Amino acid sequence: MTKLVWGSPGSRIYESGVDRGVLYLSGYAGIPWNGLTGVSEEPTGGGPKPYYLDGYKYINMMSAEEFAATIDAYTAPSEFSQCEGIAAVSNGLFATQQRRKSFGFSYRTLLGSDETEDLGYKIHIVYDALASTSKRSYKTLTNSPDANTLSWSITSTPKKIPGIRPTAHLVIDSTKTTPARMAVVENYLYGAEGIDPFLPTPAQLLTIFSS
């Protein structure tokens, strides 16, 4: 038995920042999401649901959890308009309130510690997301103009994955796996020589991480 030690060097891990946003649409190679400023993960469900018998709590079960989030950005890829329900009618004429297209999405968060700011990173992959309507505010220009920040709330449909509950959100931690595996995943997500960027399926990721 060893004695517990708190605050040993390198043990104070933190997560900050977001970058490398990529949009994935059916029929398109991965599209870089320039102007991404934030992703707020806001899962729904996952709370306790008690059952009572004879006036006493009999069992406490957890409800299913679903992935949801809010994406904040200064701008979005033009292809994302399909996901907002905007359809091109003809030569610069667009119609809103159309059917919204589902999409995939990936982004990266950074890891640091008390010893280094470059400890590693996490790649987040979101499947089968739908963006809900968002509020837009336009104001007159002043002598101190601000760029409009756009925001989209997204929900998702979980994918079946052998051995675990269905999920729409997978996370890859660079500090917990090998550089070779990370390189394969990043070649898929971001593209490489002879490879167009695409969203790997959960089955493809399982193959990479079980090899």
Side-chain angles (χ1 to χ4, degrees):
M1 299 292 289
T2 58
K3 187 176 180 179
L4 293 176
V5 177
W6 287 266
S8 57
S11 66
R12 300 174 184 177
I13 310 299
Y14 64 87
E15 189 170 359
S16 68
V18 62
D19 63 6
R20 294 195 182 182
V22 185
L23 172 69
Y24 303 94
L25 288 170
S26 177
Y28 294 82
I31 304 159
W33 193 312
N34 297 315
L36 181 69
T37 60
V39 178
S40 301
E41 299 175 3
E42 303 163 356
T44 61
K49 185 177 181 180
Y51 291 84
Y52 290 82
L53 180 66
D54 296 332
Y56 296 94
K57 185 181 288 187
Y58 176 69
I59 192 172
N60 211 20
M61 300 183 66
M62 299 294 291
S63 62
E65 182 177 321
E66 295 185 3
F67 179 82
T70 298
I71 300 173
D72 296 310
Y74 286 120
T75 186
S78 58
E79 294 85 353
F80 189 70
S81 60
Q82 305 168 62
C83 307
E84 294 186 276
I86 301 174
V89 179
S90 177
N91 297 327
L93 178 63
F94 298 88
T96 64
Q97 301 171 12
Q98 305 302 301
R99 291 188 181 276
R100 293 171 179 258
K101 190 172 183 178
S102 62
F103 62 96
F105 179 55
S106 73
Y107 55 97
R108 190 178 74 159
T109 55
L110 308 179
L111 297 174
S113 73
D114 55 297
E115 291 189 323
T116 176
E117 294 181 356
D118 301 315
L119 181 66
Y121 54 91
K122 293 180 181 179
I123 296 177
H124 300 251
I125 301 175
V126 180
Y127 294 95
D128 204 3
L130 278 175
S132 63
T133 56
S134 57
K135 181 180 178 181
R136 301 272 178 98
S137 298
Y138 304 98
K139 299 179 181 180
T140 186
L141 287 176
T142 67
N143 59 356
S144 56
D146 291 321
N148 285 349
T149 301
L150 307 177
S151 182
W152 301 270
S153 296
I154 65 171
T155 55
S156 60
T157 302
K159 299 291 186 183
K160 290 184 178 180
I161 302 177
I164 61 174
R165 289 187 172 187
T167 181
H169 181 214
L170 294 176
V171 182
I172 304 168
D173 189 334
S174 70
T175 66
K176 306 295 184 183
T177 189
T178 65
R181 287 197 182 103
M182 293 302 299
V184 173
V185 172
E186 291 177 339
N187 286 344
Y188 288 170
L189 292 173
Y190 309 141
E193 186 70 28
I195 303 175
D196 286 332
F198 71 96
L199 185 65
T201 65
Q204 288 173 314
L205 291 176
L206 283 175
T207 299
I208 294 170
F209 284 86
S210 61
S211 62

